[in-house]
Amino acid sequence: RRLSQVIWDTLSPQFPLDLPEGRAALEDALKRVAGDIADPTVRQHYQSYFRKMLWEKGAAKTKPARERSAHVERMVVQHHSAALETLSSRMLKTLIQFPALLHKSHVEETLSRLDIRTAHLDALRNALLSAIEDSNTDDPAAFMDYLRSQLPGDLLDGLMNDTLRLPYASTLSVEDAQILWNETAEAYQISHLEFELKELQDNLGPAMDEAAYQRLIELKQAIDKAYHARTFSTAQPDVA
C-alpha cells in the first residue's frame, strides 16, 4: 500500500466521519501531515489524495439509499431553496464549460462544500470532483466522455440542453470564467447564510435559548459582512 493510504487508514478511524465536525477535524489533521512534506510536488499529490478521500466519505454519508421520484425531488428543492439550487447549477455548468477551473484550489474547496440536496446535481458535483484526478481536463472531448461515464443515463446531455448562457461566450477566457465563478460563489454564500437564518427564525418559535440567540446574531453579522465584502453588483439575468 502507498504511504498516503496508510496515513488515511490510520487517521480516519480516529474521527466521527458521520458528523461535519469530525470530517473537518480529520481534514485539519491531514493538512498538518501533508504540510510537513518538504517536496512541493509530493505534498500536492498527498493533498489531492486526502481531499479525494474526504469527498468520497462525505458523498457516501449523504447519498440517498434509493432514487427519489420527480415529485419528491421538486419538494426537496422547494424546501431547501430554489435560489441556492439555481446558483449551484450555474456554478456546476460553469465548470463543465471551463474545466480548467477545477484545478484552482479555491474552486475545488468551494465545489466540495456546496450544500446540494438534489440527486442529479450532487451526482454531477461528485463527477466533477473525481475528474480532477481521473480525467484530462485539457481535452474537452475526453473530459465530457469521462463525465458521461460517471453519470447515470443521459443526465449530462439533459443538463447540457440547458447550458449556461454567457455574455460573449465565444470569446470568454478562463480568466473571465473565474471572475464569473467568484461572483456566483459570493452570491451563493450570501444566499446560503440568508436561508440558514430564515430556517433558524422559522424553527425558533416563542422560546429562544442562549445558543439559538447567539447563532442568530452570528448569522446576521456574517450576512452583513458578506454584503460589504462582495465584489459584484446586483445580479442581472443571464443573457443569450
Side-chain angles (χ1 to χ4, degrees):
R1 292 189 302 171
R2 294 178 302 175
L3 181 57
S4 57
Q5 185 178 353
V6 173
I7 294 172
W8 170 266
D9 291 343
T10 301
L11 286 178
S12 59
Q14 301 177 28
F15 299 88
L17 299 184
D18 57 329
L19 299 175
E21 296 83 355
R23 293 194 295 274
L26 174 58
E27 183 177 5
D28 288 341
L30 292 169
K31 283 181 178 179
R32 290 194 295 271
V33 171
D36 290 336
I37 299 173
D39 186 281
T41 302
V42 176
R43 182 169 62 249
Q44 184 177 7
H45 282 301
Y46 272 69
Q47 290 170 338
S48 295
Y49 174 75
F50 292 150
R51 281 197 298 268
K52 180 180 179 182
M53 294 301 293
L54 283 164
W55 289 329
E56 288 178 356
K57 284 293 183 181
K61 295 297 179 184
T62 58
K63 189 177 296 183
R66 60 187 179 188
E67 289 189 9
R68 297 183 292 217
S69 68
H71 176 66
V72 173
E73 195 83 346
R74 287 193 296 272
M75 288 176 62
V76 171
V77 174
Q78 291 166 1
H79 175 70
H80 184 214
S81 167
L84 285 176
E85 293 299 318
T86 298
L87 290 167
S88 297
S89 177
R90 183 178 299 178
M91 295 166 79
L92 296 176
K93 290 174 183 177
T94 300
L95 295 177
I96 292 176
Q97 293 179 238
F98 297 92
L101 293 178
L102 287 166
H103 295 287
K104 306 289 186 181
S105 59
H106 72 284
V107 171
E108 274 189 84
E109 182 175 359
T110 301
L111 178 61
S112 70
R113 296 182 184 277
L114 290 179
D115 184 11
I116 296 176
R117 303 187 192 183
T118 51
H120 68 288
L121 290 181
D122 190 43
L124 177 56
R125 183 256 299 276
N126 291 331
L128 287 167
L129 288 171
S130 297
I132 297 171
E133 294 295 323
D134 299 334
S135 76
N136 181 6
T137 55
D138 295 326
D139 184 336
F143 173 71
M144 293 301 290
D145 286 343
Y146 176 81
L147 290 183
R148 287 191 178 91
S149 73
Q150 298 296 304
L151 297 170
D154 57 356
L155 174 58
L156 183 62
D157 292 330
L159 289 167
M160 292 307 292
N161 286 336
D162 185 27
T163 55
L164 186 65
R165 294 188 296 274
L166 299 170
Y168 313 109
S170 60
T171 59
L172 205 66
S173 67
V174 174
E175 289 73 22
D176 296 328
Q178 184 169 345
I179 293 173
L180 175 65
W181 167 275
N182 291 342
E183 291 176 349
T184 309
E186 289 178 15
Y188 175 90
Q189 179 191 18
I190 291 173
S191 293
H192 195 279
L193 288 168
E194 290 176 334
F195 174 75
E196 187 180 348
L197 177 62
K198 183 178 183 302
E199 268 200 328
L200 180 60
Q201 291 172 329
D202 290 345
N203 294 327
L204 280 177
M208 181 188 299
D209 60 23
E210 181 64 28
Y213 177 74
Q214 185 60 38
R215 182 58 183 158
L216 193 71
I217 297 300
E218 289 173 354
L219 284 170
K220 288 183 176 181
Q221 290 176 341
I223 291 169
D224 288 342
K225 182 178 179 181
Y227 268 113
H228 284 100
R230 68 181 184 175
T231 59
F232 58 92
S233 303
T234 304
Q236 301 294 325
D238 293 340
V239 295

